[in-house]
Amino acid sequence: MATLATTVDGLKLPNPFVIGSGPPGTNLNVITKAFQEGWGAVIAKTISLDASKVINVTPRYAKLHSAEGEVIGWENIELISDRPFKLWMDEFKKCKDQFPDRVLIASIMEEYKKDAWIEIVEKCQDAGVDGFELNFSCPHGLPERKMGAAMGESPEILCEVVSWVMSAAKKPVWAKMTPNITHIEDPSRAALKHGATGISAINTIRSVMGVNLDTLRPEPCVEGYTTPGGYSSRCVKPIALRMVMEIAQVIRKEFPGRSLSAIGGVETGNDAAEFILLGADTVQVCTGVMKFGYEHVKPMCDQLLAFMEKHKFEKLSDFKGKSLDYFTTHADLVKRQAERKAAQKAATAAKTVKNDAEWRGDDFVKQSQSLASS
Ligand SMILES: Cc1cc2nc3c(=O)[nH]c(=O)nc-3n(C[C@H](O)[C@H](O)[C@H](O)COP(=O)(O)O)c2cc1C
Protein backbone atom coordinates (compact mmCIF):
# COMPACT_ATOMS: atom_id res chain seq x y z
CA MET A 1 0.00 0.00 0.00
CA ALA A 2 1.56 3.34 -1.09
CA THR A 3 2.09 6.06 1.51
CA LEU A 4 2.48 9.84 1.21
CA ALA A 5 4.04 10.11 4.69
CA THR A 6 7.58 11.42 4.54
CA THR A 7 10.39 12.67 6.78
CA VAL A 8 12.31 15.72 5.55
CA ASP A 9 15.21 17.15 7.56
CA GLY A 10 13.92 15.17 10.53
CA LEU A 11 10.42 16.68 10.23
CA LYS A 12 7.64 14.10 10.00
CA LEU A 13 4.94 15.07 7.48
CA PRO A 14 1.74 13.07 6.79
CA ASN A 15 2.02 14.12 3.13
CA PRO A 16 4.31 16.39 1.04
CA PHE A 17 1.72 19.17 0.54
CA VAL A 18 2.85 22.28 2.41
CA ILE A 19 1.03 25.60 2.70
CA GLY A 20 3.35 28.15 1.01
CA SER A 21 4.04 31.44 2.77
CA GLY A 22 1.30 33.96 1.99
CA PRO A 23 -2.38 34.60 2.78
CA PRO A 24 -3.16 30.89 3.45
CA GLY A 25 -0.88 30.97 6.54
CA THR A 26 -1.49 34.50 7.71
CA ASN A 27 -2.89 33.97 11.24
CA LEU A 28 -3.75 31.24 13.76
CA ASN A 29 -7.30 30.95 12.48
CA VAL A 30 -6.28 29.93 8.94
CA ILE A 31 -3.26 27.86 10.06
CA THR A 32 -5.65 25.85 12.29
CA LYS A 33 -7.93 25.27 9.30
CA ALA A 34 -4.95 24.05 7.22
CA PHE A 35 -3.96 21.46 9.85
CA GLN A 36 -7.57 20.36 10.32
CA GLU A 37 -7.93 19.75 6.57
CA GLY A 38 -4.78 17.60 6.56
CA TRP A 39 -2.00 19.72 5.04
CA GLY A 40 1.42 18.14 5.49
CA ALA A 41 2.93 21.30 7.02
CA VAL A 42 2.33 25.05 7.16
CA ILE A 43 4.79 27.82 6.34
CA ALA A 44 3.34 30.93 7.93
CA LYS A 45 3.18 34.31 6.20
CA THR A 46 6.59 36.04 6.33
CA ILE A 47 7.17 38.01 9.54
CA SER A 48 9.73 40.58 10.68
CA LEU A 49 10.52 42.10 14.10
CA ASP A 50 8.91 45.45 13.32
CA ALA A 51 5.57 45.21 11.53
CA SER A 52 4.87 48.93 11.86
CA LYS A 53 6.97 49.57 8.72
CA VAL A 54 4.71 47.25 6.67
CA ILE A 55 1.87 49.15 5.00
CA ASN A 56 -0.25 47.38 2.40
CA VAL A 57 -2.42 48.91 -0.36
CA THR A 58 -5.73 47.93 -1.98
CA PRO A 59 -6.20 46.49 -4.56
CA ARG A 60 -3.10 44.39 -4.27
CA TYR A 61 -3.94 41.50 -6.59
CA ALA A 62 -4.65 41.27 -10.34
CA LYS A 63 -5.67 38.06 -12.12
CA LEU A 64 -5.12 36.65 -15.61
CA HIS A 65 -8.00 34.52 -16.95
CA SER A 66 -7.99 31.89 -19.69
CA ALA A 67 -10.53 32.17 -22.55
CA GLU A 68 -12.78 29.87 -20.46
CA GLY A 69 -12.63 32.27 -17.50
CA GLU A 70 -10.33 30.17 -15.35
CA VAL A 71 -7.69 32.00 -13.28
CA ILE A 72 -4.29 30.94 -14.64
CA GLY A 73 -2.07 33.83 -13.49
CA TRP A 74 -2.07 35.98 -10.35
CA GLU A 75 -0.04 39.09 -9.61
CA ASN A 76 0.31 40.46 -6.09
CA ILE A 77 1.91 43.55 -4.62
CA GLU A 78 1.28 42.35 -1.08
CA LEU A 79 4.02 42.88 1.50
CA ILE A 80 5.05 40.58 4.34
CA SER A 81 2.78 40.30 7.40
CA ASP A 82 1.56 43.58 8.85
CA ARG A 83 0.63 41.88 12.17
CA PRO A 84 2.69 42.65 15.31
CA PHE A 85 5.60 40.28 16.02
CA LYS A 86 4.47 39.70 19.63
CA LEU A 87 1.04 38.58 18.42
CA TRP A 88 2.71 36.12 16.05
CA MET A 89 4.81 34.64 18.87
CA ASP A 90 1.65 34.09 20.95
CA GLU A 91 -0.06 32.46 17.98
CA PHE A 92 2.91 30.19 17.19
CA LYS A 93 2.85 29.00 20.83
CA LYS A 94 -0.90 28.38 20.77
CA CYS A 95 -0.62 26.58 17.45
CA LYS A 96 2.08 24.22 18.72
CA ASP A 97 0.05 23.58 21.93
CA GLN A 98 -2.92 22.63 19.79
CA PHE A 99 -1.00 20.67 17.12
CA PRO A 100 2.20 19.36 18.81
CA ASP A 101 2.74 16.68 16.14
CA ARG A 102 2.25 18.92 13.10
CA VAL A 103 4.99 20.87 11.36
CA LEU A 104 4.87 24.67 11.65
CA ILE A 105 7.57 26.63 9.84
CA ALA A 106 8.24 30.34 10.40
CA SER A 107 9.03 32.38 7.30
CA ILE A 108 11.31 35.19 8.41
CA MET A 109 12.83 38.29 6.84
CA GLU A 110 14.94 41.02 8.31
CA GLU A 111 17.12 43.94 7.32
CA TYR A 112 20.83 43.40 6.64
CA LYS A 113 21.74 43.34 10.35
CA LYS A 114 23.22 40.35 12.18
CA ASP A 115 21.56 41.09 15.54
CA ALA A 116 18.11 41.36 13.97
CA TRP A 117 18.41 37.97 12.22
CA ILE A 118 19.66 36.26 15.36
CA GLU A 119 16.92 37.83 17.49
CA ILE A 120 14.13 36.76 15.14
CA VAL A 121 15.47 33.17 14.95
CA GLU A 122 15.79 32.84 18.73
CA LYS A 123 12.37 34.31 19.47
CA CYS A 124 10.63 32.04 16.95
CA GLN A 125 12.49 29.04 18.36
CA ASP A 126 11.32 29.98 21.86
CA ALA A 127 7.78 30.07 20.51
CA GLY A 128 8.19 26.45 19.42
CA VAL A 129 8.36 26.52 15.61
CA ASP A 130 9.71 23.39 13.90
CA GLY A 131 11.81 25.11 11.27
CA PHE A 132 12.55 28.24 9.29
CA GLU A 133 12.17 29.49 5.77
CA LEU A 134 14.33 32.54 4.99
CA ASN A 135 12.48 34.83 2.62
CA PHE A 136 15.26 36.02 0.31
CA SER A 137 12.84 36.50 -2.51
CA CYS A 138 9.93 38.95 -2.15
CA PRO A 139 10.15 40.96 -5.42
CA HIS A 140 8.34 44.16 -4.40
CA GLY A 141 8.29 46.73 -1.59
CA LEU A 142 10.97 45.20 0.64
CA PRO A 143 13.96 45.49 -1.77
CA GLU A 144 13.74 49.24 -1.13
CA ARG A 145 14.85 48.39 2.44
CA LYS A 146 17.47 45.91 1.08
CA MET A 147 15.25 43.02 2.21
CA GLY A 148 13.75 40.07 0.34
CA ALA A 149 14.84 39.69 -3.28
CA ALA A 150 17.54 42.34 -2.81
CA MET A 151 19.34 39.75 -0.65
CA GLY A 152 18.47 36.73 -2.78
CA GLU A 153 19.88 38.40 -5.89
CA SER A 154 23.27 38.83 -4.20
CA PRO A 155 25.00 35.55 -3.32
CA GLU A 156 27.59 37.49 -1.25
CA ILE A 157 25.00 39.04 1.09
CA LEU A 158 23.13 35.77 1.22
CA CYS A 159 26.25 33.88 2.41
CA GLU A 160 26.59 36.25 5.32
CA VAL A 161 22.91 36.17 6.32
CA VAL A 162 22.69 32.37 6.11
CA SER A 163 25.79 32.08 8.32
CA TRP A 164 24.20 34.41 10.91
CA VAL A 165 21.00 32.37 10.91
CA MET A 166 22.81 29.03 11.13
CA SER A 167 24.80 30.26 14.14
CA ALA A 168 21.52 30.62 16.07
CA ALA A 169 19.19 28.04 14.51
CA LYS A 170 18.59 24.71 16.22
CA LYS A 171 15.92 23.72 13.68
CA PRO A 172 16.04 23.05 9.92
CA VAL A 173 16.46 26.15 7.73
CA TRP A 174 15.24 26.41 4.13
CA ALA A 175 16.45 29.36 2.03
CA LYS A 176 13.71 30.56 -0.34
CA MET A 177 15.02 31.67 -3.72
CA THR A 178 13.89 34.36 -6.10
CA PRO A 179 13.35 33.38 -9.74
CA ASN A 180 14.23 36.93 -10.80
CA ILE A 181 17.83 36.06 -11.51
CA THR A 182 19.65 34.51 -14.49
CA HIS A 183 21.18 31.51 -12.70
CA ILE A 184 19.19 30.37 -9.66
CA GLU A 185 21.97 27.84 -8.96
CA ASP A 186 24.29 30.65 -7.75
CA PRO A 187 22.37 31.89 -4.69
CA SER A 188 21.18 28.31 -3.98
CA ARG A 189 24.76 27.07 -3.94
CA ALA A 190 25.80 30.01 -1.70
CA ALA A 191 23.04 29.24 0.83
CA LEU A 192 23.86 25.52 0.89
CA LYS A 193 27.58 26.19 1.20
CA HIS A 194 26.92 28.29 4.29
CA GLY A 195 24.88 25.59 5.97
CA ALA A 196 21.23 25.95 4.89
CA THR A 197 19.46 22.63 5.44
CA GLY A 198 17.48 23.01 2.25
CA ILE A 199 16.23 25.26 -0.54
CA SER A 200 12.70 26.42 -1.35
CA ALA A 201 11.96 27.67 -4.87
CA ILE A 202 10.42 29.62 -6.43
CA ASN A 203 8.96 32.82 -5.07
CA THR A 204 6.90 34.96 -7.45
CA ILE A 205 8.16 36.26 -10.81
CA ARG A 206 8.43 40.04 -11.21
CA SER A 207 5.62 41.10 -13.49
CA VAL A 208 3.18 43.68 -14.79
CA MET A 209 -0.25 42.12 -15.17
CA GLY A 210 -1.48 44.39 -17.97
CA VAL A 211 -2.64 47.82 -19.06
CA ASN A 212 -6.30 48.86 -19.03
CA LEU A 213 -7.07 49.95 -22.60
CA ASP A 214 -9.87 52.33 -21.50
CA THR A 215 -8.01 54.19 -18.76
CA LEU A 216 -4.48 53.52 -20.15
CA ARG A 217 -3.41 52.74 -16.57
CA PRO A 218 -1.39 49.60 -15.67
CA GLU A 219 -2.90 46.97 -13.31
CA PRO A 220 -3.28 46.50 -10.37
CA CYS A 221 -4.12 50.21 -10.25
CA VAL A 222 -3.72 52.05 -6.92
CA GLU A 223 -4.66 55.75 -7.07
CA GLY A 224 -3.94 55.64 -10.82
CA TYR A 225 -0.47 54.09 -10.45
CA THR A 226 1.09 50.66 -10.00
CA THR A 227 4.40 49.00 -9.21
CA PRO A 228 5.70 45.70 -10.65
CA GLY A 229 4.52 42.77 -8.52
CA GLY A 230 4.98 39.01 -8.14
CA TYR A 231 3.42 36.52 -10.59
CA SER A 232 2.15 33.13 -9.41
CA SER A 233 -0.39 30.38 -10.17
CA ARG A 234 -0.57 27.80 -12.98
CA CYS A 235 1.17 29.98 -15.57
CA VAL A 236 4.46 29.95 -13.65
CA LYS A 237 4.70 26.16 -13.31
CA PRO A 238 6.96 25.53 -16.36
CA ILE A 239 9.44 28.14 -15.12
CA ALA A 240 9.31 26.71 -11.60
CA LEU A 241 9.88 23.17 -12.92
CA ARG A 242 12.97 24.35 -14.80
CA MET A 243 14.42 26.14 -11.79
CA VAL A 244 13.65 23.28 -9.38
CA MET A 245 15.39 20.92 -11.83
CA GLU A 246 18.47 23.19 -11.90
CA ILE A 247 18.66 23.36 -8.10
CA ALA A 248 18.07 19.61 -7.79
CA GLN A 249 21.06 18.95 -10.07
CA VAL A 250 23.25 21.15 -7.81
CA ILE A 251 22.00 19.33 -4.69
CA ARG A 252 22.54 15.92 -6.28
CA LYS A 253 26.10 16.67 -7.42
CA GLU A 254 27.42 18.98 -4.70
CA PHE A 255 25.21 18.74 -1.59
CA PRO A 256 23.68 15.24 -1.40
CA GLY A 257 21.18 14.91 1.42
CA ARG A 258 20.03 18.54 1.45
CA SER A 259 16.31 19.07 0.92
CA LEU A 260 14.30 20.84 -1.77
CA SER A 261 10.81 22.30 -1.41
CA ALA A 262 9.22 23.06 -4.79
CA ILE A 263 6.81 25.95 -5.31
CA GLY A 264 5.07 27.48 -8.30
CA GLY A 265 1.67 26.76 -9.80
CA VAL A 266 1.00 23.51 -7.94
CA GLU A 267 -2.75 22.75 -8.05
CA THR A 268 -3.00 18.97 -8.48
CA GLY A 269 -1.45 15.73 -7.31
CA ASN A 270 0.01 15.28 -10.79
CA ASP A 271 1.73 18.70 -10.53
CA ALA A 272 3.28 17.48 -7.28
CA ALA A 273 4.40 14.23 -8.93
CA GLU A 274 6.19 16.23 -11.64
CA PHE A 275 8.09 18.34 -9.10
CA ILE A 276 9.04 15.26 -7.06
CA LEU A 277 10.24 13.51 -10.23
CA LEU A 278 12.52 16.53 -10.70
CA GLY A 279 14.00 16.19 -7.21
CA ALA A 280 11.63 17.89 -4.74
CA ASP A 281 11.02 16.47 -1.25
CA THR A 282 7.92 18.58 -0.63
CA VAL A 283 5.65 20.86 -2.70
CA GLN A 284 4.21 24.15 -1.51
CA VAL A 285 0.87 25.61 -2.57
CA CYS A 286 -0.08 29.27 -2.10
CA THR A 287 -2.28 30.68 -4.88
CA GLY A 288 -3.96 27.27 -5.34
CA VAL A 289 -5.33 27.54 -1.78
CA MET A 290 -6.63 31.04 -2.57
CA LYS A 291 -8.42 29.62 -5.64
CA PHE A 292 -9.74 26.30 -4.31
CA GLY A 293 -9.70 26.47 -0.49
CA TYR A 294 -8.02 24.35 2.20
CA GLU A 295 -10.15 21.26 1.36
CA HIS A 296 -8.25 20.99 -1.91
CA VAL A 297 -5.47 19.03 -0.19
CA LYS A 298 -7.65 15.89 -0.27
CA PRO A 299 -8.03 15.55 -4.07
CA MET A 300 -4.35 16.44 -4.43
CA CYS A 301 -3.35 13.61 -2.06
CA ASP A 302 -5.71 11.18 -3.84
CA GLN A 303 -4.28 12.02 -7.26
CA LEU A 304 -0.67 11.72 -6.09
CA LEU A 305 -1.45 8.32 -4.52
CA ALA A 306 -3.15 7.17 -7.74
CA PHE A 307 -0.01 8.15 -9.70
CA MET A 308 2.15 6.17 -7.25
CA GLU A 309 -0.09 3.13 -7.41
CA LYS A 310 -0.11 3.21 -11.24
CA HIS A 311 3.70 3.03 -11.24
CA LYS A 312 3.93 0.71 -8.20
CA PHE A 313 5.85 3.31 -6.15
CA GLU A 314 5.37 2.69 -2.43
CA LYS A 315 6.92 5.87 -1.06
CA LEU A 316 7.94 9.30 -2.34
CA SER A 317 11.64 8.42 -2.29
CA ASP A 318 10.94 5.64 -4.84
CA PHE A 319 10.49 8.29 -7.55
CA LYS A 320 12.15 11.44 -6.19
CA GLY A 321 14.51 12.80 -8.87
CA LYS A 322 13.77 9.89 -11.25
CA SER A 323 13.30 12.20 -14.27
CA LEU A 324 16.45 14.26 -13.66
CA ASP A 325 18.55 11.86 -15.73
CA TYR A 326 16.64 12.80 -18.88
CA PHE A 327 18.00 16.33 -19.16
CA THR A 328 20.93 16.89 -21.46
CA THR A 329 22.32 19.51 -23.86
CA HIS A 330 20.78 20.38 -27.21
CA ALA A 331 23.94 19.12 -28.97
CA ASP A 332 23.42 15.74 -27.28
CA LEU A 333 19.78 15.65 -28.49
CA VAL A 334 21.03 16.19 -32.07
CA LYS A 335 23.60 13.38 -31.65
CA ARG A 336 21.01 10.98 -30.19
CA GLN A 337 18.58 11.71 -33.03
CA ALA A 338 21.25 11.17 -35.72
CA GLU A 339 22.23 7.86 -34.09
CA ARG A 340 18.62 6.68 -33.95
CA LYS A 341 18.03 7.58 -37.63
CA ALA A 342 21.23 5.77 -38.68
CA ALA A 343 20.21 2.68 -36.71
CA GLN A 344 16.73 2.77 -38.30
CA LYS A 345 18.26 3.02 -41.78
CA ALA A 346 20.55 0.08 -41.07
CA ALA A 347 17.59 -1.98 -39.79
CA THR A 348 15.54 -1.20 -42.91
CA ALA A 349 18.50 -2.10 -45.13
CA ALA A 350 18.93 -5.36 -43.19
CA LYS A 351 15.26 -6.24 -43.84
CA THR A 352 15.54 -5.74 -47.63
CA VAL A 353 15.81 -9.12 -49.39
CA LYS A 354 18.86 -9.16 -51.62
CA ASN A 355 18.52 -12.80 -52.70
CA ASP A 356 15.94 -15.56 -52.16
CA ALA A 357 17.94 -17.17 -49.35
CA GLU A 358 17.24 -14.13 -47.17
CA TRP A 359 13.42 -14.57 -46.96
CA ARG A 360 12.39 -15.24 -43.33
CA GLY A 361 9.09 -16.48 -41.96
CA ASP A 362 8.96 -14.11 -38.95
CA ASP A 363 9.63 -10.94 -41.03
CA PHE A 364 7.87 -12.08 -44.20
CA VAL A 365 5.27 -9.28 -44.43
CA LYS A 366 7.80 -6.50 -43.74
CA GLN A 367 10.23 -8.00 -46.25
CA SER A 368 7.48 -8.13 -48.88
CA GLN A 369 6.56 -4.48 -48.22
CA SER A 370 10.18 -3.35 -48.41
CA LEU A 371 10.31 -4.59 -52.01
CA ALA A 372 7.11 -2.78 -53.08
CA SER A 373 7.16 0.63 -54.81
CA SER A 374 3.90 1.83 -53.23
C1 LIG B 1 -0.80 37.05 -2.32
C2 LIG B 1 0.52 36.41 -2.13
C3 LIG B 1 1.31 36.72 -1.01
C4 LIG B 1 2.55 36.11 -0.83
N1 LIG B 1 3.29 36.41 0.28
C5 LIG B 1 4.47 35.77 0.50
C6 LIG B 1 5.20 35.98 1.69
O1 LIG B 1 4.80 36.71 2.59
N2 LIG B 1 6.39 35.32 1.83
C7 LIG B 1 6.89 34.48 0.88
O2 LIG B 1 7.97 33.89 1.05
N3 LIG B 1 6.19 34.24 -0.26
C8 LIG B 1 5.01 34.86 -0.47
N4 LIG B 1 4.29 34.60 -1.60
C9 LIG B 1 4.86 33.67 -2.62
C10 LIG B 1 4.34 32.24 -2.47
O3 LIG B 1 4.70 31.66 -1.25
C11 LIG B 1 4.87 31.35 -3.64
O4 LIG B 1 6.27 31.32 -3.57
C12 LIG B 1 4.45 31.83 -5.02
O5 LIG B 1 3.18 32.45 -4.99
C13 LIG B 1 4.40 30.71 -6.06
O6 LIG B 1 3.57 29.65 -5.66
P1 LIG B 1 2.01 29.51 -6.06
O7 LIG B 1 1.93 29.53 -7.57
O8 LIG B 1 1.57 28.20 -5.47
O9 LIG B 1 1.31 30.68 -5.46
C14 LIG B 1 3.03 35.18 -1.80
C15 LIG B 1 2.24 34.86 -2.89
C16 LIG B 1 1.00 35.44 -3.08
C17 LIG B 1 0.17 35.06 -4.27
Side-chain angles (χ1 to χ4, degrees), residues 20-23 44-46 61 74-76 78-81 107 133 135 137-138 176 202-204 230-234 236 263-266 284-288 290:
S21 185
K45 173 86 186 160
T46 303
Y61 307 145
W74 188 297
E75 184 194 324
N76 83 84
E78 178 169 299
L79 301 178
I80 59 174
S81 178
S107 168
E133 189 173 78
N135 183 346
S137 42
C138 184
K176 183 168 177 180
I202 57 176
N203 205 314
T204 50
Y231 198 39
S232 63
S233 196
R234 258 179 60 190
V236 309
I263 326 165
V266 176
Q284 299 185 26
V285 186
C286 180
T287 314
M290 297 169 78

Side-chain angles (χ1 to χ4, degrees), residues 308-325:
M308 288 169 68
E309 272 156 16
K310 178 175 149 198
H311 290 277
K312 305 206 174 0
F313 296 136
E314 289 191 349
K315 47 196 187 315
L316 301 179
S317 56
D318 290 349
F319 65 103
K320 180 187 146 185
K322 219 176 167 52
S323 301
L324 280 176
D325 294 335

